[in-house]
Structure formats: C-alpha cells, structure tokens
Amino acid sequence: MARILRRTDRAFWHSFGNITRCLPAFDRCLCLQMTTKPLFTPLAAAALPLPSRRHALAAFAASSALPALAQFRVEVSGVGLTQLPIAIAPFRAEAQSPEKLSAIVQADLERSGQFRSVDASGVALDENARPDVSAWRQKSADSLAAGSVVRLADGRFDVRFRLWDVVRNKDLGGQSYVVAPGDLRLVAHRIADFIYEKLTGERGVFSTRIGYVTKANGRYSLWVADSDGENAQAALSSPEPIISPAWSPSGMQLAYVSFESRKPVVYVHDIATGRRRLIANFRGSNSAPAWSPDGRTLAITLSRDGNSQLYTIDANGGEPRRLMQSTGIDTEPVYSPDGRQIYFVSDRGGPPQIYKVAATGGNAERVTFSGSYNISPSISPDGRWLAYISRIGGAFKLHVMELSGGNVTALTDTSADESPSFAPNSRLIVYATQQQGREALMTTTLDGKIKARLAGQSGDIREPDWGPFQKL
C-alpha cells in the first residue's frame, strides 16, 4: 500500500489503511480481463545444445493484448574508485549475428562498477588466438577476452570465448554454447558472469532477471526482463493496478498484488507455465508479499482485523498467522537472509520508520534513526546492508545502511526514488525513480559511484524486484 501512496500522495502515509483513498485516478472497466502467459525456462549448461527459452512464448507473441518487448536503453554514468581494466575484443563473425555479444559483455561489466573498458576495436582475435600480452599491457589492460559466433546449418549459433590474464600471461579458460538466436543475449550475460567471477572471485548477476510493473495506455503490466532491462516479456496485463512483485527464492515464481477484484489481493504466478494461484483474499486489503528464504512462507500485510498488520501465510495459501499486536500501521515486510527476522515499516512511534521482529513474532525493535521518515526496506542477500527510502526535505532518496555499524550513506541526487532491491550478489541495487517527469529504472553500486539508467520508451516503470541466481 505504501508504494501506491508514494506515487500519488506521499505526505499522507497514515491514510493508506484505506486503500481506496490512495488509488491513482483512472477509468475502470466494468468487465475485467486478466491475461497471463508462460515465460521461459532457464538456459541449459554450457557446451550443450540449448533449447530456445522463447519456445514457450509462441502464443504469447501472437497476442494483441501484450506487446512482446518493452524497449530499454542503458546509460552508465560515474567513475568508481578502483576498477579492473579489461579489453573485450569484437567476437569473430559477430557482425553476422543478431546480437553484438562483445558489446553486451562490455556493458554488463561496466554497469557492475568493477571494470573499466580498454579499447579493443578493430582487433582481430578469437578464442584460439595467442594474444601478444605485452602489447595489451602497454594499453594498460589487466585482462583480455575474445571469442567467435558461428551460425550452424540448423540456424543455431555456436558461441565460444576465452579469457586471459594479461599481467600474469595466463589462460583463465573459456566456455562454449550452442543456442537458438533468441538466446544469444543470455549467452552474452553468461560470458560476463564467467569473466566477473574469474576476476573478482564473486558470482556475476548478469544472467539473472528483474521483475517490474509498467503503466501504459491505461493498462498495467508485470514484466520479466534480463538484468539489463532487455528481453522483457509480459507475465500479466490488467486495466487494474498491479503492485509489489516479489521473486520466490527459486526464481520460478513471482508473488504480486492485483486489484482486479476492486481490492488488493495477493497471487503467486508461475513463470514457466503462466499459471497462478490465489494466496490472500481476506476482508479488507491484502498486500506487500515477501518470501521466506526457504520459499515455504510469505509475509503479508492484512487489514482484516482493522489496521494494516503483519501476518505470515503458507506459500500455497491457508489461514494466516498474525505476528504481533500493534495500534499503528505495519507494512512492507521483508525477511532477513537467514529467515530469522522480518524487517518492516511502521508508524507506531510517529512518522514511518523501519523496525525488525523475529519471524515467529514478538517485540519489535527499531532499526532506522537517521531521518524522520524511512520506508521500503530491502536487505542484501549477504545480510550486511539495508537499503531504504528516506524523505529528506520533501525529497525521497535512496539510502543504504551498514547493519553492523549503523552507518548510513545517501546514494542518489534524485528526489522521487522508490522500491530498492538488491542484486543476488549484494553488489548492486535496482530502484525506480523519476527523471524528466517520467518513471525510470536505475541500478547503482553501493557507494553510489556508478549508476545505469534503464529508460522505457513508453509508459511509467515502477516496482522493480531483482530475482535470485538462476539454478543451473
């Protein structure tokens, strides 16, 4: 509920217990039509023939109700303090490929904030080359990647690449994939993941997915896209609002809130099949679903007994269990990575602040003390950081807190930030904001130094949630 409020009238946070007072104005259809579609299955392991993850989208693409793709552009800005210089040579024969893989890999690595690109344009290299490492060292490169893209007789593409440590003159290995044309971007993200992990020691997040909501031409759509915003596919479309998408720990389901019944109701949507199940449709509002780390339970906000309060419910539905008694409004729950605590927003002490409580219930403990108005908590998967939105002088800005010491850092210079969500490696945050009067998605490093803007060509973009690592 608070997410709708922040978009319409942020000042009246206390009023969100009555959801009809904070709905945006729009024409309501008497006959509602919800459209659900299957999406895709995860890419198979490297070096094996890969079925296209768009096979499940055949009927989907033919539907006039849902556009097959939401267009984005990625703009990276800022300079990190310490970045690894890397050269990504153009892949041999990639000019005949539908996707320029080397450019996608380079953009992924730059967006992470960990890498600085060294110009490799015009260089003829592939995975079988023996590069002159001294020449690349003179160009200030620490590492070099090169590869090839070959179209096979059956229309698929054979993609191969190799990575070298230029400083130590060491071959760091490579991978090969055989994929349908529609999976070339995903292969590029997998290559970027390989490079990121080899050179930083941490898993890359480029082949993960994000979920988000758009509003365009009076319709709301729930989208699933690559981590760079490309390859967006609509999972759901409705004339009524869709809010609060939340990925399951498996990455195969999305919980969300739909207003198709003229009130907020919680559903869980299966990404692969397009099927969904009703989780919470109790008296009053049902909102703000959050998954437990084991995927068995959802924390939700219900107003069935009066004010909006926190409950937990089985992920397949059933009777909810109230976590605690409060005279205020409690909402926006999110589990800690170990599942032992739930962070949430409450006005029990005055203006909204972030608190935490044991996942089994009990007494709440206040977490945020810097600033008089703090909402939208997100906990990093490593448990070290709390991202949230703080109102500063009327502006809503993204902040991050180091939970062990309580140090708080403001990350943005925009004034309408909302809905932060951590990447699964805890190194980046995706959030929604407003630029030039339009909603946009951004990613930022935890120091705020490197930001990437993913700007939609049409419609407002809201409510991002970064999905987990894909199961291989």
Side-chain angles (χ1 to χ4, degrees):
M1 305 313 102
R3 293 173 180 174
I4 285 185
L5 277 176
R6 293 199 304 281
R7 208 173 297 125
T8 55
D9 190 351
R10 302 171 190 246
F12 297 102
W13 189 88
H14 291 282
S15 71
F16 90 96
N18 181 353
I19 190 63
T20 59
R21 284 185 288 176
C22 57
L23 280 174
F26 50 83
D27 294 331
R28 297 174 180 268
C29 300
L30 293 178
C31 180
L32 299 178
Q33 295 182 349
M34 299 295 292
T35 307
T36 62
K37 296 292 180 182
L39 291 182
F40 41 76
T41 56
L43 189 69
L48 294 176
L50 299 175
S52 172
R53 68 180 186 179
R54 284 160 187 80
H55 284 168
L57 296 172
F60 192 89
S63 171
S64 60
L66 294 174
L69 180 64
Q71 296 295 322
F72 281 75
R73 66 180 182 274
V74 178
E75 301 170 3
V76 180
S77 62
V79 177
L81 297 179
T82 303
Q83 294 175 305
L84 303 175
I86 185 171
I88 308 294
F91 282 28
R92 178 172 56 83
E94 72 177 0
Q96 284 73 51
S97 164
E99 302 285 355
K100 190 175 181 182
L101 272 67
S102 62
I104 297 170
V105 172
Q106 179 176 316
D108 281 347
L109 296 175
E110 289 179 352
R111 194 169 57 255
S112 75
Q114 302 290 314
F115 293 87
R116 172 175 58 83
S117 293
V118 174
D119 184 24
S121 58
V123 176
L125 289 174
D126 63 17
E127 72 282 1
N128 297 315
R130 293 186 177 181
D132 182 353
V133 295
S134 62
W136 288 104
R137 281 199 294 265
Q138 290 177 6
K139 293 184 177 183
S140 301
D142 284 356
S143 52
L144 167 69
S148 62
V149 187
V150 177
R151 184 180 178 90
L152 303 178
D154 61 3
R156 295 180 299 166
F157 285 85
D158 185 344
V159 180
R160 305 184 182 203
F161 82 98
R162 189 162 296 279
L163 176 67
W164 293 273
D165 183 326
V166 171
V167 175
R168 295 185 295 167
N169 191 16
K170 183 178 181 181
D171 184 337
L172 298 180
Q175 290 179 332
S176 64
Y177 300 85
V178 176
V179 297
D183 282 322
L184 284 169
R185 287 192 64 88
L186 183 55
V187 165
H189 294 318
R190 287 281 172 85
I191 293 172
D193 284 340
F194 179 94
I195 294 172
Y196 186 96
E197 184 167 359
K198 283 290 184 180
L199 298 181
T200 70
E202 299 180 351
R203 289 186 70 177
V205 297
F206 311 114
S207 61
T208 61
R209 297 175 289 182
I210 58 173
Y212 61 91
V213 176
T214 61
K215 180 187 178 185
N217 301 318
R219 292 191 69 85
Y220 297 80
S221 296
L222 173 60
W223 297 86
V224 174
D226 293 353
S227 64
D228 60 357
E230 296 287 350
N231 281 340
Q233 302 288 344
L236 179 70
S237 181
S238 171
E240 301 291 345
I242 302 168
I243 63 172
S244 305
W247 285 97
S248 69
S250 69
M252 298 306 295
Q253 299 179 98
L254 273 168
Y256 64 91
V257 176
S258 170
F259 284 72
E260 64 192 88
S261 300
R262 312 294 189 181
K263 58 177 274 189
V265 175
V266 177
Y267 288 92
V268 167
H269 186 97
D270 187 275
I271 298 298
T273 67
R275 298 189 184 96
R276 65 173 183 166
R277 61 182 183 274
L278 177 65
I279 300 298
N281 185 16
F282 301 100
R283 183 173 62 88
S285 66
N286 310 258
S287 64
W291 294 86
S292 63
D294 63 9
R296 298 177 180 176
T297 304
L298 287 164
I300 55 176
T301 301
L302 304 178
S303 65
R304 57 186 275 177
D305 299 320
N307 282 341
S308 293
Q309 299 286 287
L310 298 185
Y311 294 75
T312 57
I313 191 170
D314 188 276
N316 292 311
E319 184 63 22
R321 183 181 68 84
R322 187 167 177 171
L323 282 180
M324 54 192 155
Q325 302 290 328
S326 170
T327 57
I329 293 171
D330 297 342
T331 187
E332 293 193 297
V334 59
Y335 278 88
S336 62
D338 61 9
R340 296 179 180 178
Q341 295 178 318
I342 294 176
Y343 289 74
F344 65 99
V345 176
S346 178
D347 66 350
R348 61 183 59 201
Q353 294 289 345
I354 297 170
Y355 294 76
K356 65 180 179 180
V357 66
T360 54
N363 295 323
E365 177 185 344
R366 184 170 166 177
V367 176
T368 52
F369 293 91
S370 176
S372 61
Y373 186 108
N374 299 305
I375 55 178
S376 302
S378 178
I379 307 298
S380 63
D382 63 9
R384 294 181 56 196
W385 307 95
L386 165 68
Y388 63 95
I389 304 299
S390 184
R391 187 177 67 186
I392 307 294
F396 290 79
K397 294 180 175 293
L398 174 62
H399 287 65
V400 67
M401 173 194 290
E402 188 176 12
L403 287 172
S404 62
N407 297 322
V408 175
T409 302
L411 300 182
T412 64
D413 56 8
T414 44
S415 60
D417 304 337
E418 64 176 60
S419 305
S421 176
F422 278 92
N425 68 355
S426 303
R427 288 292 188 174
L428 293 170
I429 299 171
V430 64
Y431 62 101
T433 192
Q434 286 187 0
Q435 290 191 333
Q436 300 176 342
R438 295 180 64 83
E439 301 271 352
L441 293 187
M442 301 281 294
T443 61
T444 181
T445 51
L446 301 195
D447 59 6
K449 299 292 185 182
I450 305 292
K451 293 184 176 67
R453 178 174 180 262
L454 290 71
Q457 296 292 321
S458 62
D460 291 333
I461 308 168
R462 309 166 175 172
E463 308 262 7
D465 191 53
W466 206 317
F469 286 116
Q470 294 291 285
K471 302 294 190 295
L472 299 180

